[in-house]
């Protein structure tokens, strides 16, 4: 029986990955900052909470990493822990780098001494390319981060390259483009939209306020992306891969799809912060824009080219955009009807 250790087990990807590994017969150990029951809702949602052994892990503390690796002796390590908010990274750049970059260095150092045979996956991010003005991004493009978050993920990727090239660790970075699900945190724009579409349709919220709705993202489904992580660690040689759908939609397009799921068609009027989305059915304004949610720097579009992952890993996303948006709104409708957040 193989053993996997997942850091950041309570996040969206931790839950989907744990579920997938358990299905394949793995023993799964999951680390996070706290093991309190209130953080286990994502594992519970996927009915994986009883089968994952959770433990306390802090990537900024080498001792806690070494202790876990010594105890669990993993065959595979998936590093999904991190400060995952781009907007928070502008306010807390030091903390973001301490966790997302220095923390990864600590993890790799510990793995090199405690379990050098283990295969390691690092969750990197499309944000390392946020400053690139081009079409679909591939692995050979030169990174250009524009946020402390993007910088921290690029630093981590460099650490991985060093440990791979100099010390022979089997370590792979998945350059993950945005990936969403009903378990996405509510601070991300997709969950903010799916939650609002559900709440507005149930008469629990009047309207939704967003930032820049013209930006485009390549949004995939998290359940598909964790399969790519596993495939990377199953290759003969370690390498880095862009994981994306290759298709982009604007935030406005995501709003359209979410509201369509609850039977609303929106007409868009005005420009910039004056833009509004009006219900064709009732004439009510359901979406507004505010400068409050704009970022100091943002990338207009971020689209990935998953060609290499398709060719080498045989990976392709299975869940389409509309299906994913529908799944998210449906889950939020259920949560709200059940009286949960
Ligand atoms: P990110 O790509 O990892 O930063 O994921 P987010 O879901 O947080 O943001 C995706 C894009 O949506 C960014 O370009 C944001 O500027 C844009 N956006 C527009 N309005 C909002 C909003 O109200 N909240 C968030 N989080 N993002 C917004």
């Amino acid at each position: 029986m193989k053993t996997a250790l997942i850091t950041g087990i309570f996040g969206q990807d931790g839950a989907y990955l744990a579920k997938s590994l358990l299905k394949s017969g793995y023993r799964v150990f999951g680390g996070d900052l706290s093991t309190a029951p209130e953080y286990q809702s994502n594992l519970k949602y996927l009915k994986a909470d009883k089968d994952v052994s959770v433990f306390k892990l802090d990537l900024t503390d080498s001792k806690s990493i070494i202790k876990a690796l010594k105890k669990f002796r993993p065959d595979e390590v998936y590093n999904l822990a991190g400060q995952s908010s781009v907007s928070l990274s502008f306010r807390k750049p030091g903390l973001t780098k301490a966790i997302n970059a220095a923390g990864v260095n600590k993890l790799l150092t510990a793995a090199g001494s405690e379990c050098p045979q283990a295969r390691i996956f690092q969750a990197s991010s499309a944000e390392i390319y946020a400053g690139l003005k081009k079409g679909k991004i591939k692995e050979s493009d030169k990174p250009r981060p524009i946020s402390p978050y993007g910088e921290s993920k690029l630093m981590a990727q460099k650490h991985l390259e060093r440990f791979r090239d100099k010390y022979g660790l089997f370590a792979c970075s998945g350059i993950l483009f945005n990936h969403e699900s009903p378990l996405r945190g509510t601070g991300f724009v997709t969950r903010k939209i799916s939650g609002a579409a559900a709440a507005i349709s149930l008469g629990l919220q009047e309207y939704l306020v967003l930032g820049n709705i013209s930006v485009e993202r390549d949004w995939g489904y998290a359940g598909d992306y964790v399969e790519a992580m596993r495939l990377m660690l199953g290759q003969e040689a370690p390498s880095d891969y862009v994981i994306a759908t290759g298709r982009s939609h604007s935030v406005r397009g995501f709003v359209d799809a979410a509201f369509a799921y609850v039977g609303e068609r929106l007409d868009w009027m005005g420009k910039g912060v004056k833009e509004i989305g009006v219900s064709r059915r009732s004439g009510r304004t359901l979406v507004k824009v505010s400068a409050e949610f704009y970022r100091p720097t943002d990338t207009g579009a971020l689209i990935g080219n998953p060609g290499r992952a398709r060719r080498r890993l045989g990976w392709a996303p299975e869940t389409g955009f509309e299906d994913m948006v529908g799944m998210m709104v449906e889950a939020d409708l259920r949560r709200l009807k059940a009286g949960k957040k």
Side-chain angles (χ1 to χ4, degrees):
M1 187 190 263
K2 279 197 172 178
T3 300
L5 189 153
I6 303 174
T7 74
I9 188 67
F10 295 147
Q12 163 186 268
D13 292 5
Y16 281 104
L17 178 62
K19 184 77 185 174
S20 169
L21 290 164
L22 287 168
K23 257 196 204 158
S24 304
Y26 276 67
R27 232 175 357 175
V28 180
F29 296 97
D32 220 306
L33 286 174
S34 159
T35 55
E38 64 262 34
Y39 294 109
Q40 307 204 11
S41 58
N42 285 344
L43 286 176
K44 277 201 180 114
Y45 186 93
L46 296 181
K47 301 190 172 52
D49 53 312
K50 299 219 164 54
D51 300 316
V52 176
S53 311
V54 296
F55 62 94
K56 262 194 172 175
L57 180 83
D58 179 353
L59 278 189
T60 63
D61 169 18
S62 292
K63 275 193 202 139
S64 86
I65 302 172
I66 292 169
K67 192 174 152 199
L69 296 179
K70 268 202 164 93
K71 190 166 169 196
F72 304 125
R73 302 255 144 239
D75 300 294
E76 296 174 8
V77 176
Y78 294 87
N79 184 36
L80 310 182
Q83 192 301 89
S84 64
S85 162
V86 177
S87 50
L88 182 67
S89 81
F90 288 105
R91 281 173 276 132
K92 300 216 176 257
L95 177 74
T96 302
K97 284 178 188 164
I99 300 170
N100 293 5
V104 173
N105 198 33
K106 287 181 175 138
L107 175 67
L108 293 166
T109 307
S113 63
E114 300 305 327
C115 53
Q117 300 309 320
R119 297 189 163 203
I120 300 169
F121 172 83
Q122 161 66 10
S124 188
S125 164
E127 280 292 323
I128 68 171
Y129 292 115
L132 271 195
K133 305 247 179 304
K134 73 176 284 263
K136 295 183 184 178
I137 290 160
K138 51 183 191 301
E139 296 83 355
S140 52
D141 286 319
K142 196 169 181 310
R144 192 181 295 174
I146 56 170
S147 66
Y149 174 82
E151 285 165 10
S152 72
K153 287 291 182 181
L154 181 57
M155 285 158 80
Q157 213 172 302
K158 296 252 179 255
H159 289 318
L160 243 82
E161 270 170 38
R162 190 162 47 85
F163 274 85
R164 186 164 65 203
D165 298 344
K166 275 204 178 156
Y167 306 108
L169 281 195
F170 191 111
C172 309
S173 290
I175 305 161
L176 308 174
F177 281 63
N178 297 52
H179 48 291
E180 319 295 311
S181 78
L183 302 185
R184 192 59 146 151
T186 49
F188 290 87
V189 77
T190 54
R191 257 313 284 298
K192 185 173 171 183
I193 296 167
S194 66
I200 290 169
S201 78
L202 295 173
L204 300 171
Q205 185 175 331
E206 220 178 312
Y207 53 82
L208 162 67
V209 187
L210 292 168
N212 188 345
I213 57 174
S214 295
V215 296
E216 293 191 11
R217 286 290 185 279
D218 178 335
W219 279 298
Y221 172 54
D224 290 338
Y225 284 39
V226 299
E227 297 307 324
M229 299 175 190
R230 295 189 55 188
L231 288 168
M232 276 180 226
L233 296 199
Q235 298 303 298
E236 263 181 34
S239 186
D240 304 333
Y241 294 90
V242 161
I243 304 300
T245 72
R247 297 205 175 141
S248 75
H249 298 265
S250 64
V251 171
R252 193 185 293 101
F254 197 104
V255 174
D256 279 331
F259 279 85
Y261 188 82
V262 293
E264 288 283 4
R265 283 189 72 180
L266 299 177
D267 288 318
W268 295 97
M269 299 167 195
K271 276 205 161 151
V273 290
K274 297 241 164 69
E275 187 165 354
I276 51 172
V278 179
S279 162
R280 197 169 284 183
R281 198 168 47 85
S282 65
R284 275 176 48 206
T285 297
L286 301 185
V287 186
K288 298 182 184 180
V289 173
S290 163
E292 187 194 337
F293 297 110
Y294 273 63
R295 295 189 179 164
T297 55
D298 205 348
T299 174
L302 212 42
I303 312 161
N305 177 348
R308 189 161 180 269
R310 187 173 299 132
R311 287 191 305 276
R312 294 221 191 164
L313 305 176
W315 178 85
E318 287 182 4
T319 311
F321 179 73
E322 264 84 19
D323 287 347
M324 182 187 72
V325 178
M327 195 193 300
M328 292 178 71
V329 180
E330 183 60 40
D332 278 322
L333 283 167
R334 288 208 186 131
R335 283 191 188 104
L336 289 169
K337 284 179 189 161
K340 293 186 208 140
K341 268 204 297 182

